[in-house]
Amino acid sequence: MPVQSTPDQLIGILRDTIVALVRRDGPDLSARQLGVFLTVYLGEGPHTVRGLAAALNVSKPAITRALDRLGELDFARRKTDPQDRRSVLVQRTVKGSALLREMRTIMSEAAAAAPEVSDFPDLDEVGGTAELKRVG
């Protein structure tokens, strides 16, 4: 039976994954670009600009800008929908699939190296919860 991860463990894995992605030799993606990329690669297609905007609750121009960058990097490709020429489909690419495999490997390594639950400081002791309460 798998052990349930705590929020602190998950945020640590996320941090380690992002740091590894930043340190690797390759382009960096913004949070929005990464969100669009992961939605395209992990979600059922076909994907459209309108559908991605709705799924991520952002504007269509924001999706278009993210897709512009993903297209420059060959991580995604746009193609006119043959059934509705007004609509544009977003397609996966070989290079994008390779990035997703690399991300999975990095995240798996980060998860394997994650400290045990008892190794995390209590957020109340380090002021984390107090900071969150002030912001929220």
Side-chain angles (χ1 to χ4, degrees):
M1 179 173 182
V3 176
Q4 181 86 17
S5 297
T6 68
D8 287 337
Q9 285 173 315
L10 294 173
I11 203 74
I13 292 167
L14 178 61
R15 179 204 172 276
D16 292 346
T17 301
I18 291 172
V19 167
L21 288 170
V22 168
R23 289 180 178 163
R24 83 186 202 308
D25 192 25
D28 292 335
L29 297 178
S30 70
R32 180 168 288 147
Q33 292 162 356
L34 187 58
V36 170
F37 173 82
L38 290 172
T39 301
V40 168
Y41 278 81
L42 299 177
E44 285 291 319
H47 298 283
T48 62
V49 171
R50 178 182 297 141
L52 290 167
L56 296 172
N57 197 27
V58 296
S59 69
K60 288 189 285 185
I63 296 296
T64 297
R65 288 190 300 273
L67 288 173
D68 287 346
R69 178 70 174 144
L70 294 173
E72 289 169 9
L73 299 170
D74 196 30
F75 293 153
R77 175 178 307 119
R78 284 180 270 203
K79 178 184 174 191
T80 302
D81 184 346
Q83 295 178 350
D84 180 357
R85 299 195 50 78
R86 298 169 298 170
S87 185
V88 175
L89 300 175
V90 180
Q91 298 179 320
R92 300 172 182 141
T93 65
V94 172
K95 192 171 178 184
S97 295
L99 174 62
L100 183 63
R101 276 192 306 278
E102 182 180 4
M103 290 173 65
R104 283 183 168 137
T105 299
I106 289 169
M107 187 164 260
S108 294
E109 290 169 357
E116 296 297 318
V117 175
S118 61
D119 294 339
F120 284 98
D122 184 347
L123 283 176
D124 289 328
E125 292 175 14
V126 294
T129 304
E131 290 296 316
L132 291 175
K133 287 179 183 172
R134 255 186 271 147
V135 172

